[in-house]
Amino acid sequence: MANLLVTGGAGFIGGNFVHYWAERHPDDAVIVLDCLTYAGNRSTIAGVEQADLVVGDIRDTDLVEKLLRDRDIATIVHFAAESHVDRSISGPDAFIDTNILGTNSLLKAARAVWLDKGSGKQHRFHHISTDEVYGSLGPDDPAFTETTPYQPNSPYSASKASSDHLVRAYHHTFGLEVTTTNCSNNYGPYQYPEKLIPLFLLNALHGRSLPIYGDGMNVRDWLHVEDHCRGIEACLDDGRPGETYNIGGGAELPNMAVIDRICASVDKAMEEIDGLAQRYPDAPAAKGQPTDSLKTFVTDRAGHDRRYAIDETKARNELNYAPHHTFEDGMAQTLRWYLDHEEWWRRLTPWAQTSH
């Protein structure tokens, strides 16, 4: 039996990890530390018996130290972060506070309990980061590897790059046992509806416009969140302390291709699922019109990176990691999850509450 502290465990990726870990490690206790901002929801981990939610801030170093001592925790899996690029452009301060100062607070607490005052027992601080720290690729550039120089282009990616460097420094300076994974774009259940896939899906169901930045040809590598959790588990099991591993989904697609897939999936669902048109009468597909009629092009986001791509060779060779989901089956499952869990997302979208 092990005790894990999962920061941000009521959010999208963290919440999925809590479900994943509890299912595969039923004897482990999972302590979730989350301050329940707009993107953190109790309902995301409701029903997970092993999960004990502590509402608190990762910047509260004393609280983290107390949790590590009192719960006999030897593993931290650190998801807590501000992660929406648009929000980082309009309000970068929150990203500095959470992603940099918050990570430093966790590292200080871990060092104090596990090293300065600890017994020297085996421990692990696992840090979740992003491929966005590497900057933007040209159309013919090789994919990001763990040795690609950092070139963050948004306040969000700059704050994550800073936290990555702090984690590395605590290993090399103080001997803290750390690992880091840099992931590509995640999608799947429980994703807050401000990110592309859930936003466009819910907009399509409610007849709202699908705003496409620029020409829609920005390329991302899409990673199903369950595959991401699988990669983190492999890193906790076999990752070498001090090392970084890139976790990708093997689905490099332009945004427009993803949007077209969402539109086609909604059109197909309206045809095949009884009662769906009655549930969402404002959807074009409910009226026999194509969902892609909702597409609109808007001014491109400032500093919008053109292409991300992940080379996961190191994770494959050292961790035996490989994604299990194709984008096709992952998208089908994701669409079905949102259709089956309307009660989860409806209260997060005030505009949808009166759309019936």
Side-chain angles (χ1 to χ4, degrees):
M1 177 176 176
N3 297 330
L4 283 73
L5 178 64
V6 179
T7 72
F12 165 45
I13 307 176
N16 275 279
F17 179 79
V18 169
H19 283 273
Y20 179 94
W21 195 269
E23 180 180 338
R24 287 158 180 79
H25 305 269
D27 294 330
D28 288 359
V30 181
I31 296 88
V32 174
L33 178 60
D34 200 301
C35 61
L36 298 181
T37 61
Y38 75 95
N41 299 282
R42 294 176 185 271
S43 59
T44 296
I45 54 173
V48 182
E49 293 183 2
Q50 298 98 306
D52 181 7
L53 174 62
V54 177
V55 179
D57 197 315
I58 59 173
R59 293 172 296 174
D60 186 343
T61 310
D62 291 339
L63 170 62
V64 178
E65 283 193 34
K66 180 175 173 57
L67 288 173
L68 296 180
R69 286 194 306 267
D70 293 354
R71 306 294 185 96
D72 192 27
I73 293 168
T75 301
I76 295 175
V77 187
H78 176 33
F79 294 95
E82 295 286 345
S83 65
H84 192 47
V85 176
D86 284 2
R87 289 177 183 264
S88 82
I89 294 170
S90 60
D93 287 0
F95 291 74
I96 305 303
D97 288 345
T98 298
N99 299 354
I100 302 177
L101 300 182
T103 300
N104 187 56
S105 170
L106 290 170
L107 289 165
K108 286 194 300 181
R111 177 191 173 196
V113 174
W114 291 339
L115 299 178
D116 296 349
K117 306 169 187 174
S119 61
K121 68 179 179 180
Q122 187 176 2
H123 61 268
R124 178 64 62 88
F125 186 109
H126 184 74
H127 176 57
I128 313 300
S129 190
T130 171
D131 57 0
E132 297 189 41
V133 299
Y134 299 122
S136 184
L137 292 170
D140 299 318
D141 289 340
F144 298 132
T145 72
E146 291 80 0
T147 60
T148 299
Y150 276 28
Q151 293 183 321
N153 291 320
S154 70
Y156 162 61
S157 57
S159 68
K160 290 299 290 184
S162 299
S163 65
D164 292 4
H165 293 320
L166 280 171
V167 172
R168 174 183 169 85
Y170 266 74
H171 173 72
H172 286 275
T173 301
F174 304 117
L176 197 68
E177 300 286 299
V178 308
T179 45
T180 296
T181 45
N182 293 78
C183 68
S184 55
N185 275 39
N186 280 228
Y187 69 98
Y190 300 109
Q191 188 169 28
Y192 188 82
E194 67 183 355
K195 299 296 179 74
L196 189 151
I197 289 176
L199 174 66
F200 277 46
L201 170 59
L202 299 186
N203 278 9
L205 291 174
H206 292 89
R208 295 166 63 90
S209 67
L210 307 179
I212 302 166
Y213 280 134
D215 62 1
M217 296 308 291
N218 300 74
V219 175
R220 300 293 183 262
D221 177 4
W222 291 92
L223 171 66
H224 192 278
V225 67
E226 184 179 85
D227 283 329
H228 187 190
C229 295
R230 185 176 294 109
I232 295 167
E233 179 186 39
C235 193
L236 290 171
D237 289 342
D238 299 317
R240 290 182 288 136
E243 291 296 315
T244 295
Y245 299 90
N246 284 348
I247 306 296
E252 189 179 340
L253 295 167
N255 287 345
M256 189 63 76
V258 176
I259 294 164
D260 287 342
R261 181 66 55 80
I262 294 169
C263 292
S265 297
V266 172
D267 290 346
K268 183 178 180 182
M270 285 291 177
E271 293 179 359
E272 297 180 349
I273 300 176
D274 290 341
L276 196 61
Q278 288 71 40
R279 286 170 59 190
Y280 303 105
D282 295 328
K287 308 168 189 175
Q289 301 170 8
T291 298
D292 65 11
S293 63
L294 296 172
K295 289 180 182 176
T296 58
F297 289 89
V298 298
T299 302
D300 205 357
R301 183 171 68 204
H304 199 180
D305 290 337
R306 189 63 173 176
R307 173 178 169 243
Y308 304 145
I310 284 282
D311 182 341
E312 67 214 19
T313 300
K314 182 177 178 181
R316 185 167 59 248
N317 290 343
E318 294 191 18
L319 309 179
N320 197 32
Y321 166 77
H324 289 189
H325 291 276
T326 66
F327 186 73
E328 289 73 20
D329 77 70
M331 268 295 296
Q333 290 180 23
T334 299
L335 170 63
R336 190 74 216 195
W337 187 89
Y338 278 92
L339 292 177
D340 290 344
H341 293 82
E342 183 176 332
E343 76 287 349
W344 182 84
W345 55 258
R346 186 166 289 283
R347 59 190 180 76
L348 305 179
T349 51
W351 51 264
Q353 293 176 8
T354 56
S355 65
H356 278 192

